[in-house]
Amino acid sequence: MRVAVAPGAGFCFGVKRALKIAFDAARRGDGAVVTLGPIIHNPQVVAKLEEEGLAVVQNLSDAPAGATLVVRSHGLGRAVLDEAAVRGLRIVDATCPFVKQAQDRARDLERDGYQVVVVGEERHPEVLSITGSLEEAASVVDGPGGLEDLPQAPRVGVVCQTTQPLEHLKAVIDRLLESTGEVKVFNTICRATSERQRNALDLSARVDVMVVVGGKDSANTRRLWELCRETGRDAYHIETADELEPSWFEGKEEVGVTGGASTPQWIIDDVVRAIEGM
Ligand code: F3S
């Protein structure tokens, strides 16, 4: 059985950068270091970081006094940052520059009088950081499934969660063009995401079965898995090699492997070795 790995599988630039910032902060040994929620949606990496002294808290009130708060690549809204400052936490900002750009674009749209629409998952931390950087409430639309929730406003400005597929953004724009006088769009989808999705689709078109590796809570990994399944290929989403089932590969000649933006290379390598050993 041959195994092919999709180009660009695994950590993206923003995740690598955030992890380096977090490791550096933890290794400085300058008091407690925390993140609000896991730094990335990958339990294996989060466990390694915990060994280095980076604790995960679910609420700012759980952070020890004087702790350093590492802002994850998803970013944080203004209210949370203000609360962190009031609590005396030191902020180390690891927000991905592409997420920052989406926040800035949304703010520009609001300042210029547009009703802001964010295409993305309503409860995703990145979307919360974008809506949380605005003065007024934005509408959040999860692609084609949420078109009924689009606002009726004369001027609508659109930004997108960085890991959404382009089709979701296009579906929202198409619908807005039917009902809105003025639509201004910033395509804030990150290039690493679109390339990863395209590479996964290309690979899925030529192999017998796809294995998508990444955290079960990772939205971009789940999306990769959905895209591979939409091609009609058998596709499985696993976190580690332990979950592989030999029956998935019976009678198959070529297996494709890809990984989400928060999947470390060592886990992808483990999976490839395990499949090759079957
Ligand atoms: Fe940033 Fe794109 Fe990764 S937005 S965190 S480089 S997927």
Side-chain angles (χ1 to χ4, degrees):
M1 205 157 53
R2 294 185 306 281
V3 183
V5 179
F11 282 170
C12 62
F13 151 80
V15 164
K16 278 189 202 150
R17 178 177 171 276
L19 288 173
K20 178 169 183 335
I21 291 172
F23 270 115
D24 287 350
R27 285 173 184 158
R28 260 198 301 276
D30 195 11
V33 182
V34 300
T35 53
L36 189 56
I39 185 148
I40 56 172
H41 289 134
N42 187 284
Q44 292 74 29
V45 174
V46 171
K48 274 192 189 293
L49 273 161
E50 269 174 356
E51 285 166 19
E52 294 278 342
L54 186 92
V56 178
V57 295
Q58 299 306 331
N59 297 292
L60 288 182
S61 54
D62 299 332
T68 298
L69 172 70
V70 177
V71 178
R72 306 181 294 175
S73 57
H74 304 122
L76 284 174
R78 286 177 331 151
V80 186
L81 289 170
D82 289 349
E83 187 191 335
V86 168
R87 289 181 179 278
L89 302 179
R90 278 175 294 178
I91 307 283
V92 171
D93 192 359
T95 308
C96 175
F98 299 121
V99 174
K100 261 227 151 56
Q101 196 175 41
Q103 295 173 344
D104 291 345
R105 294 291 186 236
R107 267 199 304 270
D108 292 346
L109 288 166
E110 181 176 61
R111 187 202 54 219
D112 295 343
Y114 292 90
Q115 166 65 44
V116 178
V117 168
V118 182
V119 180
E121 294 164 67
E122 196 169 10
R123 304 305 307 162
H124 192 281
E126 180 194 323
V127 173
L128 293 174
S129 87
I130 296 172
T131 55
S133 6
L134 301 173
E135 304 282 342
E136 304 288 334
S139 306
V140 180
V141 180
D142 190 5
L147 294 177
E148 302 317 318
D149 302 331
L150 281 169
Q152 299 293 321
R155 306 172 76 216
V156 175
V158 184
V159 297
C160 196
Q161 184 181 346
T162 54
T163 48
Q164 285 286 300
L166 186 60
E167 288 62 37
H168 283 196
L169 178 59
K170 282 180 173 169
V172 171
I173 296 166
D174 280 353
R175 175 61 66 89
L176 282 171
L177 289 174
E178 288 167 10
S179 58
T180 308
E182 185 181 342
V183 182
K184 185 164 182 177
V185 182
F186 287 110
N187 178 358
T188 50
I189 297 172
C190 150
R191 214 173 55 204
T193 301
S194 35
E195 280 174 6
R196 180 191 319 276
Q197 291 175 347
R198 202 175 42 246
N199 289 336
L201 282 173
D202 288 349
L203 184 57
S204 173
R206 68 174 173 85
V207 296
D208 302 308
V209 51
M210 282 295 291
V211 175
V212 182
V213 191
K216 293 278 157 70
D217 289 337
S218 157
N220 80 85
T221 307
R222 269 202 319 272
R223 189 62 207 144
L224 275 180
W225 174 53
E226 284 163 11
L227 283 171
C228 294
R229 284 198 316 174
E230 282 165 19
T231 64
R233 213 40 96 233
D234 286 347
Y236 301 96
H237 176 184
I238 58 168
E239 255 179 31
T240 64
D242 299 341
E243 295 162 62
L244 290 166
E245 299 278 349
S247 60
W248 299 345
F249 309 106
E250 271 165 25
K252 312 287 191 205
E253 286 181 4
E254 190 163 19
V255 181
V257 174
T258 187
S262 48
T263 309
Q265 190 61 45
W266 55 271
I267 294 188
I268 296 176
D269 292 344
D270 272 359
V271 168
V272 170
R273 266 194 302 273
I275 298 172
E276 282 171 345
M278 280 179 178

